[in-house]
Amino acid sequence: MNAIENDSCLRYYAESVISQPGDPYMLKKLAISSLALAAGFAVAQDQVVNLYSARHYQTDEKLYSDFTKATGIKVNRVDADDAGILARLRAEGAASPADVILLVDAARLWKGDSDGLFKPVRSTVLEAAIPANLRARATPEGTTWFGFSTRARVVVYDKLKIKKADVDTYEELADPKNRGLVCTRSGSHPYNLSLFGAVTEHIGEVKAETWLAGLVANMARAPKGGDTDQIKAVASGECGVALTNTYYLARIMRSNTSEDKAIAERVGVVFPNQDSWGTHVNIAGAAVAKNAKNTANAVKFMEYMASASAQEYFANGNNEWPAVRGLDISNPALKAMGTFKSETIPISAVGNNQLKVQQMLDRVGYK
Ligand code: FE
Protein backbone atom coordinates (compact mmCIF):
# COMPACT_ATOMS: atom_id res chain seq x y z
CA MET A 1 0.00 0.00 0.00
CA ASN A 2 1.19 3.52 -0.58
CA ALA A 3 0.42 4.85 2.86
CA ILE A 4 -1.80 3.61 5.60
CA GLU A 5 -3.84 5.79 7.85
CA ASN A 6 -6.55 4.74 10.24
CA ASP A 7 -10.03 6.16 10.00
CA SER A 8 -9.30 7.91 13.28
CA CYS A 9 -6.70 10.07 11.58
CA LEU A 10 -8.67 10.95 8.50
CA ARG A 11 -8.05 14.53 7.58
CA TYR A 12 -9.83 17.13 5.55
CA TYR A 13 -7.86 19.45 3.32
CA ALA A 14 -9.45 22.53 1.91
CA GLU A 15 -7.67 24.37 -0.84
CA SER A 16 -8.27 28.02 -1.41
CA VAL A 17 -9.62 29.44 -4.62
CA ILE A 18 -6.88 31.38 -6.36
CA SER A 19 -7.39 33.34 -9.55
CA GLN A 20 -4.68 33.56 -12.17
CA PRO A 21 -4.28 35.88 -15.16
CA GLY A 22 -5.97 34.30 -18.15
CA ASP A 23 -8.26 32.23 -15.97
CA PRO A 24 -11.63 32.15 -17.82
CA TYR A 25 -13.49 31.94 -14.52
CA MET A 26 -11.65 34.87 -12.99
CA LEU A 27 -14.31 37.49 -13.60
CA LYS A 28 -17.00 35.25 -12.19
CA LYS A 29 -14.84 34.48 -9.17
CA LEU A 30 -13.99 38.11 -8.66
CA ALA A 31 -17.67 38.95 -8.71
CA ILE A 32 -18.41 36.19 -6.23
CA SER A 33 -15.46 37.24 -4.07
CA SER A 34 -16.65 40.85 -3.98
CA LEU A 35 -20.14 39.80 -2.99
CA ALA A 36 -18.76 37.44 -0.39
CA LEU A 37 -16.43 40.07 1.02
CA ALA A 38 -19.28 42.57 1.18
CA ALA A 39 -21.48 40.12 2.98
CA GLY A 40 -18.67 38.50 5.00
CA PHE A 41 -19.45 35.04 3.61
CA ALA A 42 -17.10 32.26 2.55
CA VAL A 43 -16.63 32.08 -1.22
CA ALA A 44 -18.90 29.95 -3.40
CA GLN A 45 -19.85 27.33 -0.82
CA ASP A 46 -21.50 25.05 -3.34
CA GLN A 47 -18.59 24.84 -5.80
CA VAL A 48 -16.76 21.93 -4.21
CA VAL A 49 -15.83 18.37 -4.94
CA ASN A 50 -15.24 15.98 -2.05
CA LEU A 51 -12.48 13.51 -2.79
CA TYR A 52 -11.70 10.30 -0.87
CA SER A 53 -8.18 9.41 -1.93
CA ALA A 54 -5.88 6.43 -1.47
CA ARG A 55 -3.08 8.37 -3.18
CA HIS A 56 -0.69 10.43 -1.07
CA TYR A 57 1.92 12.18 -3.17
CA GLN A 58 3.35 15.70 -3.04
CA THR A 59 2.72 16.25 -6.76
CA ASP A 60 -1.00 15.56 -6.30
CA GLU A 61 -1.30 18.84 -4.33
CA LYS A 62 -0.35 20.75 -7.47
CA LEU A 63 -2.80 18.68 -9.50
CA TYR A 64 -5.70 19.65 -7.22
CA SER A 65 -4.78 23.32 -6.94
CA ASP A 66 -4.52 23.54 -10.76
CA PHE A 67 -8.03 22.08 -11.01
CA THR A 68 -9.32 24.71 -8.57
CA LYS A 69 -7.58 27.46 -10.52
CA ALA A 70 -9.10 26.29 -13.80
CA THR A 71 -12.65 25.70 -12.58
CA GLY A 72 -13.18 27.54 -9.30
CA ILE A 73 -14.19 24.22 -7.73
CA LYS A 74 -12.57 23.58 -4.36
CA VAL A 75 -11.18 20.13 -3.63
CA ASN A 76 -11.85 18.80 -0.12
CA ARG A 77 -9.80 15.69 0.43
CA VAL A 78 -10.01 12.75 2.83
CA ASP A 79 -6.94 10.49 2.83
CA ALA A 80 -7.11 6.81 3.72
CA ASP A 81 -6.02 3.50 2.23
CA ASP A 82 -8.27 1.64 -0.23
CA ALA A 83 -9.82 -0.69 2.33
CA GLY A 84 -10.43 2.21 4.73
CA ILE A 85 -12.18 4.24 2.03
CA LEU A 86 -14.48 1.39 1.03
CA ALA A 87 -15.32 0.69 4.69
CA ARG A 88 -16.07 4.36 5.27
CA LEU A 89 -18.35 4.57 2.22
CA ARG A 90 -20.30 1.54 3.44
CA ALA A 91 -20.63 3.00 6.94
CA GLU A 92 -21.69 6.45 5.72
CA GLY A 93 -24.28 5.15 3.26
CA ALA A 94 -26.62 7.77 1.80
CA ALA A 95 -25.20 10.43 4.17
CA SER A 96 -21.71 10.16 2.65
CA PRO A 97 -20.26 13.49 1.49
CA ALA A 98 -17.93 11.68 -0.96
CA ASP A 99 -18.11 12.69 -4.63
CA VAL A 100 -14.97 11.16 -6.17
CA ILE A 101 -13.26 7.97 -4.99
CA LEU A 102 -9.60 7.48 -5.89
CA LEU A 103 -8.25 3.93 -5.45
CA VAL A 104 -4.94 2.31 -6.37
CA ASP A 105 -5.84 -1.18 -7.53
CA ALA A 106 -8.27 -2.73 -10.01
CA ALA A 107 -9.31 -5.43 -7.52
CA ARG A 108 -10.41 -2.71 -5.06
CA LEU A 109 -12.22 -0.72 -7.75
CA TRP A 110 -14.02 -3.88 -8.82
CA LYS A 111 -14.95 -4.62 -5.18
CA GLY A 112 -16.35 -1.12 -4.61
CA ASP A 113 -18.28 -1.42 -7.86
CA SER A 114 -19.73 -4.84 -7.07
CA ASP A 115 -20.73 -3.59 -3.60
CA GLY A 116 -22.76 -0.84 -5.30
CA LEU A 117 -20.66 2.05 -3.93
CA PHE A 118 -20.22 3.85 -7.27
CA LYS A 119 -22.51 5.80 -9.60
CA PRO A 120 -22.30 5.08 -13.34
CA VAL A 121 -21.52 8.21 -15.36
CA ARG A 122 -21.49 9.15 -19.03
CA SER A 123 -18.64 11.29 -20.32
CA THR A 124 -17.58 11.44 -23.95
CA VAL A 125 -14.31 13.05 -22.76
CA LEU A 126 -13.45 10.10 -20.51
CA GLU A 127 -14.63 7.51 -23.02
CA ALA A 128 -12.40 9.05 -25.69
CA ALA A 129 -9.35 9.49 -23.41
CA ILE A 130 -9.24 6.27 -21.37
CA PRO A 131 -8.67 3.02 -23.29
CA ALA A 132 -11.63 0.63 -23.01
CA ASN A 133 -9.54 -2.13 -21.35
CA LEU A 134 -8.57 0.27 -18.50
CA ARG A 135 -12.10 1.04 -17.29
CA ALA A 136 -15.19 -0.75 -16.04
CA ARG A 137 -17.39 -2.41 -18.60
CA ALA A 138 -19.91 0.15 -19.87
CA THR A 139 -23.60 -0.49 -19.18
CA PRO A 140 -26.61 1.41 -20.55
CA GLU A 141 -26.41 3.59 -17.39
CA GLY A 142 -22.78 4.51 -18.04
CA THR A 143 -19.35 3.53 -16.72
CA THR A 144 -18.62 3.14 -13.00
CA TRP A 145 -14.83 3.60 -12.86
CA PHE A 146 -11.90 4.71 -15.02
CA GLY A 147 -8.15 3.97 -14.80
CA PHE A 148 -5.92 7.06 -14.75
CA SER A 149 -2.45 5.54 -14.44
CA THR A 150 -0.91 2.13 -14.99
CA ARG A 151 1.71 0.05 -13.23
CA ALA A 152 3.13 -3.29 -14.36
CA ARG A 153 3.63 -6.30 -12.09
CA VAL A 154 7.13 -7.44 -12.99
CA VAL A 155 9.71 -10.02 -11.99
CA VAL A 156 12.89 -8.94 -10.19
CA TYR A 157 15.80 -11.37 -9.89
CA ASP A 158 19.25 -11.66 -8.37
CA LYS A 159 21.68 -11.01 -11.22
CA LEU A 160 24.43 -12.92 -9.35
CA LYS A 161 22.46 -16.20 -9.13
CA ILE A 162 19.69 -16.25 -11.73
CA LYS A 163 19.64 -16.27 -15.51
CA LYS A 164 17.08 -13.87 -16.93
CA ALA A 165 15.91 -16.53 -19.41
CA ASP A 166 14.85 -18.76 -16.47
CA VAL A 167 12.43 -16.19 -15.04
CA ASP A 168 11.04 -14.31 -18.04
CA THR A 169 7.49 -15.67 -17.84
CA TYR A 170 5.07 -15.82 -14.91
CA GLU A 171 4.60 -19.54 -15.67
CA GLU A 172 8.33 -20.28 -15.19
CA LEU A 173 8.28 -19.00 -11.62
CA ALA A 174 6.38 -22.22 -10.80
CA ASP A 175 8.84 -24.46 -12.67
CA PRO A 176 10.84 -26.92 -10.51
CA LYS A 177 14.07 -25.28 -11.78
CA ASN A 178 13.21 -22.31 -9.53
CA ARG A 179 12.67 -24.40 -6.37
CA GLY A 180 13.47 -22.50 -3.17
CA LEU A 181 13.95 -19.18 -4.96
CA VAL A 182 10.58 -17.41 -5.15
CA CYS A 183 9.41 -14.60 -2.82
CA THR A 184 6.12 -12.68 -2.85
CA ARG A 185 3.98 -10.65 -0.51
CA SER A 186 0.75 -12.29 0.69
CA GLY A 187 -1.20 -14.07 -2.05
CA SER A 188 -4.39 -12.34 -0.87
CA HIS A 189 -3.02 -8.82 -1.30
CA PRO A 190 -5.01 -7.00 -4.02
CA TYR A 191 -1.92 -6.65 -6.27
CA ASN A 192 -1.50 -10.45 -6.27
CA LEU A 193 -5.24 -11.14 -6.48
CA SER A 194 -5.28 -8.97 -9.62
CA LEU A 195 -2.23 -10.68 -11.13
CA PHE A 196 -3.54 -14.17 -10.34
CA GLY A 197 -6.97 -13.14 -11.68
CA ALA A 198 -5.28 -12.07 -14.90
CA VAL A 199 -3.30 -15.33 -15.14
CA THR A 200 -6.58 -17.24 -14.63
CA GLU A 201 -8.11 -15.23 -17.47
CA HIS A 202 -5.17 -16.02 -19.76
CA ILE A 203 -4.51 -19.74 -19.07
CA GLY A 204 -7.77 -20.94 -17.49
CA GLU A 205 -8.69 -21.99 -13.97
CA VAL A 206 -7.22 -25.50 -13.94
CA LYS A 207 -3.77 -24.45 -15.16
CA ALA A 208 -3.82 -21.36 -12.93
CA GLU A 209 -4.36 -23.48 -9.82
CA THR A 210 -1.52 -25.83 -10.79
CA TRP A 211 0.63 -22.75 -11.35
CA LEU A 212 -0.23 -21.33 -7.91
CA ALA A 213 0.62 -24.69 -6.29
CA GLY A 214 3.97 -24.57 -8.13
CA LEU A 215 4.66 -21.08 -6.78
CA VAL A 216 4.00 -22.29 -3.23
CA ALA A 217 6.35 -25.25 -3.80
CA ASN A 218 9.07 -22.86 -5.03
CA MET A 219 8.90 -20.34 -2.15
CA ALA A 220 12.18 -19.33 -0.54
CA ARG A 221 10.19 -18.25 2.54
CA ALA A 222 6.56 -17.83 3.60
CA PRO A 223 4.97 -14.72 2.01
CA LYS A 224 5.53 -11.58 4.09
CA GLY A 225 6.12 -7.84 3.78
CA GLY A 226 5.36 -5.49 0.89
CA ASP A 227 6.78 -5.33 -2.62
CA THR A 228 9.81 -3.25 -1.54
CA ASP A 229 10.65 -5.94 1.02
CA GLN A 230 10.72 -8.53 -1.78
CA ILE A 231 13.13 -6.39 -3.84
CA LYS A 232 15.41 -5.98 -0.80
CA ALA A 233 15.29 -9.72 -0.08
CA VAL A 234 16.42 -10.41 -3.67
CA ALA A 235 19.28 -7.92 -3.28
CA SER A 236 20.37 -9.55 0.00
CA GLY A 237 20.41 -13.01 -1.57
CA GLU A 238 17.60 -14.38 0.61
CA CYS A 239 15.35 -14.72 -2.46
CA GLY A 240 16.36 -15.43 -6.04
CA VAL A 241 13.30 -13.99 -7.74
CA ALA A 242 10.26 -11.95 -6.67
CA LEU A 243 7.20 -10.06 -7.90
CA THR A 244 6.81 -6.29 -7.58
CA ASN A 245 4.87 -3.36 -8.99
CA THR A 246 7.11 -1.21 -11.17
CA TYR A 247 6.80 1.98 -9.10
CA TYR A 248 8.45 0.37 -6.05
CA LEU A 249 11.41 -0.50 -8.24
CA ALA A 250 11.40 2.99 -9.82
CA ARG A 251 11.59 4.58 -6.34
CA ILE A 252 14.73 2.55 -5.59
CA MET A 253 16.23 3.34 -9.01
CA ARG A 254 15.70 7.09 -8.42
CA SER A 255 17.01 7.06 -4.86
CA ASN A 256 20.43 8.52 -4.03
CA THR A 257 21.16 6.50 -0.91
CA SER A 258 24.10 4.08 -1.17
CA GLU A 259 21.86 1.26 0.11
CA ASP A 260 19.35 1.76 -2.72
CA LYS A 261 22.11 2.18 -5.31
CA ALA A 262 23.52 -1.21 -4.26
CA ILE A 263 20.05 -2.79 -4.53
CA ALA A 264 19.49 -1.31 -8.01
CA GLU A 265 22.89 -2.65 -9.08
CA ARG A 266 22.25 -6.22 -7.88
CA VAL A 267 18.64 -6.66 -9.01
CA GLY A 268 17.55 -7.31 -12.60
CA VAL A 269 14.03 -6.64 -13.90
CA VAL A 270 12.01 -8.65 -16.41
CA PHE A 271 8.73 -7.70 -18.04
CA PRO A 272 7.29 -11.24 -18.16
CA ASN A 273 5.50 -12.95 -21.05
CA GLN A 274 6.75 -10.70 -23.85
CA ASP A 275 6.48 -13.64 -26.28
CA SER A 276 2.97 -14.58 -25.19
CA TRP A 277 0.13 -12.57 -23.62
CA GLY A 278 2.21 -9.72 -22.24
CA THR A 279 2.96 -8.33 -18.78
CA HIS A 280 0.12 -7.88 -16.28
CA VAL A 281 -0.81 -4.22 -15.90
CA ASN A 282 -2.86 -2.82 -13.01
CA ILE A 283 -4.30 0.67 -12.57
CA ALA A 284 -4.94 3.49 -10.15
CA GLY A 285 -8.37 4.85 -10.97
CA ALA A 286 -11.39 6.83 -9.90
CA ALA A 287 -15.15 6.55 -9.60
CA VAL A 288 -18.05 8.83 -8.76
CA ALA A 289 -19.51 7.89 -5.38
CA LYS A 290 -23.00 6.37 -5.39
CA ASN A 291 -24.37 9.11 -3.12
CA ALA A 292 -22.40 12.01 -4.62
CA LYS A 293 -24.05 15.41 -4.06
CA ASN A 294 -21.77 17.19 -6.56
CA THR A 295 -21.93 14.77 -9.47
CA ALA A 296 -21.29 17.34 -12.21
CA ASN A 297 -18.19 18.61 -10.38
CA ALA A 298 -17.06 15.02 -9.83
CA VAL A 299 -17.25 14.30 -13.57
CA LYS A 300 -15.43 17.58 -14.29
CA PHE A 301 -12.69 16.53 -11.86
CA MET A 302 -12.30 13.15 -13.54
CA GLU A 303 -12.26 14.72 -17.01
CA TYR A 304 -9.55 17.10 -15.79
CA MET A 305 -7.51 14.10 -14.58
CA ALA A 306 -7.59 12.72 -18.13
CA SER A 307 -6.06 15.94 -19.55
CA ALA A 308 -2.45 15.79 -20.75
CA SER A 309 -1.00 18.01 -18.01
CA ALA A 310 -2.91 16.28 -15.20
CA GLN A 311 -1.97 12.86 -16.56
CA GLU A 312 1.70 13.78 -16.35
CA TYR A 313 1.42 14.88 -12.70
CA PHE A 314 -0.82 12.02 -11.75
CA ALA A 315 1.30 9.27 -13.31
CA ASN A 316 4.70 10.75 -12.56
CA GLY A 317 3.81 11.43 -8.91
CA ASN A 318 4.03 7.69 -8.28
CA ASN A 319 6.39 6.70 -11.13
CA GLU A 320 3.55 5.27 -13.20
CA TRP A 321 2.57 5.43 -16.86
CA PRO A 322 -0.36 7.62 -17.94
CA ALA A 323 -3.52 5.70 -18.85
CA VAL A 324 -4.05 8.10 -21.76
CA ARG A 325 -2.01 6.84 -24.71
CA GLY A 326 0.57 8.80 -26.65
CA LEU A 327 1.78 11.01 -23.79
CA ASP A 328 5.49 11.14 -23.10
CA ILE A 329 6.55 11.57 -19.49
CA SER A 330 10.09 12.44 -18.53
CA ASN A 331 10.75 9.93 -15.77
CA PRO A 332 14.31 8.55 -15.80
CA ALA A 333 13.44 5.27 -14.03
CA LEU A 334 10.53 4.54 -16.40
CA LYS A 335 12.72 5.48 -19.37
CA ALA A 336 15.40 3.05 -18.11
CA MET A 337 12.80 0.26 -17.86
CA GLY A 338 11.96 0.81 -21.55
CA THR A 339 8.85 -0.12 -23.47
CA PHE A 340 7.11 -3.46 -23.17
CA LYS A 341 4.15 -5.48 -24.35
CA SER A 342 1.30 -5.36 -21.84
CA GLU A 343 -1.69 -7.68 -21.63
CA THR A 344 -4.82 -6.53 -23.43
CA ILE A 345 -7.56 -8.25 -21.41
CA PRO A 346 -10.01 -5.84 -19.79
CA ILE A 347 -8.78 -5.01 -16.28
CA SER A 348 -12.43 -5.37 -15.18
CA ALA A 349 -12.18 -9.11 -15.97
CA VAL A 350 -9.50 -9.69 -13.32
CA GLY A 351 -11.86 -8.47 -10.60
CA ASN A 352 -14.42 -11.04 -11.64
CA ASN A 353 -11.89 -13.78 -10.87
CA GLN A 354 -11.04 -12.56 -7.36
CA LEU A 355 -13.29 -14.90 -5.43
CA LYS A 356 -12.22 -17.87 -7.52
CA VAL A 357 -8.56 -16.94 -6.99
CA GLN A 358 -8.97 -16.65 -3.21
CA GLN A 359 -10.49 -20.15 -3.12
CA MET A 360 -7.57 -21.51 -5.17
CA LEU A 361 -5.09 -19.82 -2.80
CA ASP A 362 -6.79 -21.50 0.15
CA ARG A 363 -6.70 -24.90 -1.57
CA VAL A 364 -2.98 -24.71 -2.48
CA GLY A 365 -1.97 -23.21 0.89
CA TYR A 366 -0.75 -19.86 -0.49
CA LYS A 367 -0.72 -17.63 2.57
FE1 FE B 1 1.34 0.24 -3.67
Side-chain angles (χ1 to χ4, degrees):
M1 308 312 297
N2 298 301
I4 312 269
E5 287 182 60
N6 296 325
D7 266 8
S8 57
C9 25
L10 289 171
R11 303 186 303 266
Y12 264 100
Y13 291 82
E15 288 171 9
S16 53
V17 181
I18 304 160
S19 292
Q20 284 243 316
D23 177 352
Y25 292 85
M26 186 170 71
L27 280 179
K28 192 175 158 199
K29 279 189 285 187
L30 280 176
I32 293 167
S33 302
S34 313
L35 276 175
L37 282 174
F41 294 149
V43 177
Q45 286 286 341
D46 54 339
Q47 285 306 302
V48 297
V49 64
N50 297 321
L51 174 64
Y52 283 16
S53 173
R55 285 174 55 94
H56 320 279
Y57 309 112
Q58 282 299 314
T59 49
D60 288 2
E61 299 292 337
K62 169 90 170 116
L63 189 71
Y64 305 143
S65 65
D66 280 358
F67 172 72
T68 301
K69 278 181 205 167
T71 62
I73 299 166
K74 277 204 310 184
V75 179
N76 298 318
R77 194 170 92 233
V78 167
D79 283 333
D81 68 349
D82 299 67
I85 287 173
L86 294 178
R88 184 168 173 143
L89 284 172
R90 276 185 215 103
E92 290 173 340
S96 177
D99 296 313
V100 175
I101 310 302
L102 213 49
L103 300 177
V104 291
D105 177 86
R108 296 282 202 209
L109 283 160
W110 182 87
K111 183 83 178 92
D113 195 6
S114 64
D115 288 355
L117 299 174
F118 305 153
K119 180 189 282 187
V121 294
R122 286 235 176 83
S123 160
T124 49
V125 172
L126 290 172
E127 278 153 28
I130 308 299
N133 67 315
L134 300 180
R135 46 178 149 104
R137 204 166 277 140
T139 66
E141 289 76 44
T143 304
T144 40
W145 50 264
F146 294 85
F148 287 100
S149 60
T150 65
R151 62 281 292 278
R153 196 137 182 84
V154 295
V155 166
V156 283
Y157 64 99
D158 182 353
K159 289 198 282 191
L160 296 183
K161 281 197 299 210
I162 307 286
K163 281 195 296 245
K164 186 176 180 176
D166 284 337
V167 292
D168 61 1
T169 66
Y170 294 114
E171 289 91 330
E172 270 178 307
L173 301 184
D175 190 288
K177 70 185 170 188
N178 288 316
R179 188 72 26 111
L181 295 172
V182 176
C183 287
T184 73
R185 73 193 307 163
S186 163
S188 305
H189 188 276
Y191 300 160
N192 280 337
L193 287 181
S194 289
L195 168 64
F196 302 160
V199 170
T200 303
E201 199 66 19
H202 291 294
I203 67 176
E205 213 176 319
V206 173
K207 281 184 180 168
E209 182 158 342
T210 306
W211 175 70
L212 288 170
L215 283 185
V216 172
N218 282 355
M219 295 279 180
R221 62 179 190 191
K224 64 171 179 180
D227 284 1
T228 302
D229 298 308
Q230 313 311 315
I231 301 170
K232 288 182 173 170
V234 168
S236 75
E238 186 185 0
C239 311
V241 59
L243 290 166
T244 180
N245 282 355
T246 35
Y247 56 85
Y248 294 108
L249 191 63
R251 272 179 215 164
I252 290 172
M253 289 165 76
R254 296 184 74 177
S255 161
N256 286 320
T257 70
S258 54
E259 188 203 351
D260 285 339
K261 281 181 189 299
I263 293 171
E265 183 58 39
R266 171 99 177 238
V267 169
V269 56
V270 190
F271 285 81
N273 294 62
Q274 292 302 285
D275 294 330
S276 56
W277 41 269
T279 298
H280 169 61
V281 166
N282 205 331
I283 55 165
V288 176
K290 165 91 173 170
N291 296 297
K293 315 288 186 292
N294 304 294
T295 303
N297 289 354
V299 172
K300 253 186 225 172
F301 180 80
M302 290 189 12
E303 288 177 345
Y304 162 77
M305 286 211 302
S307 69
S309 60
Q311 277 280 293
E312 164 137 16
Y313 273 118
F314 191 81
N316 215 13
N318 188 33
N319 298 302
E320 293 177 86
W321 291 276
V324 173
R325 299 235 166 88
L327 300 176
D328 188 31
I329 61 167
S330 50
N331 181 308
L334 297 185
K335 280 243 151 64
M337 285 188 215
T339 56
F340 63 97
K341 174 181 168 183
S342 54
E343 65 184 356
T344 54
I345 54 164
I347 191 71
S348 56
V350 312
N352 276 314
N353 290 335
Q354 258 184 98
L355 218 67
K356 225 183 279 173
V357 167
Q358 188 55 62
Q359 289 165 349
M360 290 190 234
L361 293 174
D362 293 343
R363 283 196 293 267
V364 303
Y366 198 139
K367 295 283 185 282

